[in-house]
Amino acid sequence: VQDAQDFSDLIEATVASREFSDTTGIAAAIEFGVDSIQNNAFDGIREVIDISGDGEENSLGNGNPGNVPLLQAARDAAFSSG
């Protein structure tokens, strides 16, 4: 039981120190995924960005929370890049 509590405390300390905790930046995740696919040393036959989140877009990192048009633009840009 103590091992489980110690592990839980370690996770909590890690999450509490995350710079972006309590936000869901889906547009930023899409842009990061596109950059990661386009700028790596692998040549795959499929290019897939699979994003999981815990809520709606609420942080774009630019002080404009919940900007659905920018989220849609990020998705459209990713889709049209292949």
Side-chain angles (χ1 to χ4, degrees):
V1 174
Q2 186 59 45
D3 286 343
Q5 185 60 51
D6 292 344
F7 185 63
S8 173
D9 292 343
L10 180 64
I11 292 172
E12 186 175 342
T14 301
V15 172
S17 68
R18 286 179 44 215
E19 182 179 344
F20 300 107
S21 80
D22 298 328
T23 61
T24 303
I26 302 168
I30 292 171
E31 291 168 353
F32 179 83
V34 169
D35 184 63
S36 296
I37 288 172
Q38 293 176 343
N39 297 299
N40 69 63
F42 301 99
D43 187 23
I45 57 172
R46 291 185 64 210
E47 297 174 339
V48 177
I49 300 171
D50 184 3
I51 298 172
S52 295
D54 61 357
E56 297 177 288
E57 173 73 71
N58 64 10
S59 174
L60 297 174
N62 63 2
N64 195 3
N67 194 324
V68 174
L70 285 180
L71 173 57
Q72 187 64 44
R75 182 207 171 274
D76 292 346
F79 186 77
S80 63
S81 73

